[in-house]
Amino acid sequence: MIHNAHSGRIYDTAIVGAGVLGLWAALHAARRGEKVIVLEKRKIGAGASGGFLGALMPHMPDNWNAKKQMQFDGLESLEHVVAELEEQTGIDCGYRRCGRVMPVTNEKLIGQIERRILGAKDHWQSKYSMSVSNASSLSPELNPEIATHGIQHDTLSARINPRQYLMALGFNVRKSCDLKEGADVVSIEPASDQVDVVLKDGSRIVAGNVIVANGYEAYELLRPFMADMNNGKTIGRGVKGQAVLLEYKHDDTMPVYYHDGSYIVPQKNNRIAIGSTSVNDWSEQAPDGFDYNNMDFYHRAIQLVPALKDARIIDRWAGVRPRNTLENRGTEPFFETVPGQKRLHALIGGFKITLGIAHLERNFS
Ligand SMILES: Cc1cc2nc3c(=O)[nH]c(=O)nc-3n(C[C@H](O)[C@H](O)[C@H](O)COP(=O)(O)OP(=O)(O)OC[C@H]3O[C@@H](n4cnc5c(N)ncnc54)[C@H](O)[C@@H]3O)c2cc1C
């Protein structure tokens, strides 16, 4: 533990950002017996984690690699982790392993899907499968004019209610850590034996280690330490997305549907979320401002499942997720110690899968 006579604050670990990654990092550190503080600029779940889409979709199981294995481990274990969290907190996180359906739109895809089916057999531990079948048998709601060559179905995909999930995580974090909302971290000053975290109001928090988990805003916060890694540029950028929530009567047996960048996610209590996250140029817009002129994702989804056409939109949401652009590493998550800074660590999700992997414990060494 770090003792600092001037700060009056003594923490083993300070975490920047109370999204799904920051909250899990805090819980893991607290379970290891560390004294932890979470610093959140706005409030828990104010970032990309706090929406209502909640798709938990695996990467395709062909061309297997370490990233796909890590994601599989996350998706496989989350079911039990959430059950435990619900028991501890009494909060229903709306988890269901509902599977995913994607339309097969042309014949050329069949060979690729056959490779995926074999990959699923090899790598999904015989518990989950991928298959291709006639659309009408498994998914009568799907538009046959889009699913012209059948459907691809997997049994590993799941869904969660992100806001309930974040509420449950926040509940546990409040019990085991200090949490400061409204704490805007403006800079980080690492030294050999401690790290100073400087807040906008001029105050400082001193900790032994700092984990930066503030979503896409981590790129700017870490720029002073990481510019060398990507030819002077930040190691990623924010990608905006938006979603709508529909009221639609269903018996909660539907799968997640995915096509052409749009997700349709059945949620509990007769709700269906539709969304996508691919707007790269949003600099003129507020990060969380819903753009009414960008409803293509919704129209694409309605084309795919026409029965949703008359369902009332009851909520709208927009957010910005991090997208890593480090050369040679694509959109892979960046869960590492910052090069040359042994006490400063980064948790940057990087793609659209963070909700399914955030709970995995990471060792920074
Ligand atoms: C529309 C949309 C739909 C998505 N759908 C899915 C999905 O279905 N499934 C899935 O797995 N992923 C999905 N994602 C991606 C996923 O939500 C994000 O990748 C993930 O939530 C990021 O979590 P995080 O904890 O890294 O960041 P965030 O949830 O963004 O949390 C970062 C937190 O840090 C705080 N913060 C920022 N700057 C500072 C600072 N300087 N000081 C203190 N605090 C700060 C923010 O206020 C925020 O609360 C979606 C993203 C979007 C935008």
Side-chain angles (χ1 to χ4, degrees):
M1 189 181 291
I2 296 299
H3 298 267
N4 188 289
H6 306 293
S7 68
R9 298 257 182 191
I10 301 165
Y11 293 99
D12 296 307
T13 301
I15 308 227
V16 183
V20 68
L21 279 172
L23 294 174
W24 268 115
L27 289 175
H28 287 310
R31 280 178 196 164
R32 291 192 298 265
E34 296 176 23
K35 188 160 166 45
V36 181
I37 185 166
V38 179
L39 302 165
E40 164 56 49
K41 176 157 102 173
R42 293 176 284 166
K43 58 183 181 133
I44 285 184
S49 311
F52 45 62
L53 206 52
L56 303 169
M57 304 201 313
H59 293 300
M60 291 303 155
D62 50 346
N63 302 322
W64 199 250
N65 58 28
K67 181 181 76 171
K68 293 187 180 188
Q69 181 65 45
M70 187 257 287
Q71 195 212 16
F72 175 82
D73 293 341
L75 292 174
E76 154 76 350
S77 55
L78 187 60
E79 182 170 3
H80 311 290
V81 167
V82 168
E84 195 182 16
L85 188 64
E86 288 178 333
E87 206 175 298
Q88 291 162 352
T89 63
I91 297 171
D92 179 351
C93 299
Y95 179 94
R96 182 165 67 84
R97 199 178 289 285
C98 55
R100 167 182 54 182
V101 162
M102 294 165 64
V104 183
T105 53
N106 65 67
E107 206 176 338
K108 280 190 225 140
L109 290 172
I110 303 282
Q112 195 178 39
I113 296 170
E114 276 162 5
R115 286 193 293 281
R116 292 173 182 169
I117 292 171
L118 291 177
K121 278 195 184 121
D122 284 347
H123 304 294
W124 286 359
Q125 296 179 1
S126 317
K127 285 189 192 159
Y128 313 99
S129 63
M130 181 165 275
S131 59
V132 64
S133 65
N134 180 306
S136 58
S137 60
L138 193 72
S139 227
E141 14 338 68
L142 215 64
N143 184 349
E145 287 175 21
I146 296 179
T148 48
H149 290 73
I151 57 165
Q152 176 187 323
H153 176 240
D154 77 72
T155 59
L156 173 59
S157 297
R159 67 103 207 271
I160 198 163
N161 180 322
R163 288 185 182 163
Q164 296 290 106
Y165 182 37
L166 270 271
M167 193 192 294
L169 291 175
F171 183 95
N172 272 359
V173 164
R174 284 190 166 94
K175 280 199 302 198
S176 54
C177 309
D178 286 349
L179 168 74
K180 200 169 152 69
E181 292 175 301
D184 186 354
V185 174
V186 290
S187 66
I188 297 173
E189 297 174 2
S192 61
D193 56 347
Q194 64 182 43
V195 187
D196 276 32
V197 180
V198 184
L199 304 189
K200 197 172 181 180
D201 65 7
S203 62
R204 282 168 184 262
I205 305 286
V206 183
N209 281 278
V210 170
I211 299 177
V212 174
N214 60 330
Y216 78 97
E217 290 166 276
Y219 299 127
E220 273 310 315
L221 194 58
L222 291 172
R223 186 196 275 270
F225 312 103
M226 294 172 101
D228 288 351
M229 290 178 71
N230 217 21
N231 297 326
K233 296 182 293 211
T234 56
I235 69 154
R237 61 184 151 77
V239 176
K240 190 168 176 177
Q242 41 191 36
V244 293
L245 192 64
L246 310 182
E247 190 176 45
Y248 178 76
K249 201 161 173 12
H250 64 95
D251 62 3
D252 208 16
T253 56
M254 287 166 75
V256 167
Y257 295 99
Y258 180 74
H259 179 54
D260 203 11
S262 280
Y263 305 72
I264 301 175
V265 186
Q267 294 285 356
K268 273 188 160 177
N269 303 323
N270 296 321
R271 300 287 184 263
I272 303 268
I274 295 179
S276 92
T277 149
S278 52
V279 181
N280 288 307
D281 184 15
W282 53 274
S283 52
E284 301 298 314
Q285 302 166 19
D288 54 0
F290 189 89
D291 178 3
Y292 283 78
N293 294 318
N294 177 15
M295 289 292 279
D296 288 355
F297 71 96
Y298 166 77
H299 296 299
R300 286 198 302 275
I302 298 295
Q303 270 186 348
L304 186 66
V305 180
L308 298 176
K309 178 167 66 74
D310 297 322
R312 194 162 65 96
I313 297 178
I314 55 170
D315 205 354
R316 295 172 173 81
W317 171 76
V320 176
R321 67 173 166 89
R323 183 177 196 278
N324 294 338
T325 54
L326 203 50
E327 262 174 40
N328 306 324
R329 290 184 40 174
T331 55
E332 254 179 63
F334 189 90
F335 297 152
E336 285 169 35
T337 297
V338 173
Q341 301 294 338
K342 65 181 171 76
R343 296 180 176 277
L344 182 58
H345 319 285
L347 284 179
I348 313 178
F351 195 55
K352 307 173 190 176
I353 58 158
T354 307
L355 291 172
I357 58 172
H359 61 289
L360 298 174
E361 188 167 1
R362 275 125 203 140
N363 276 329
F364 296 112
S365 50

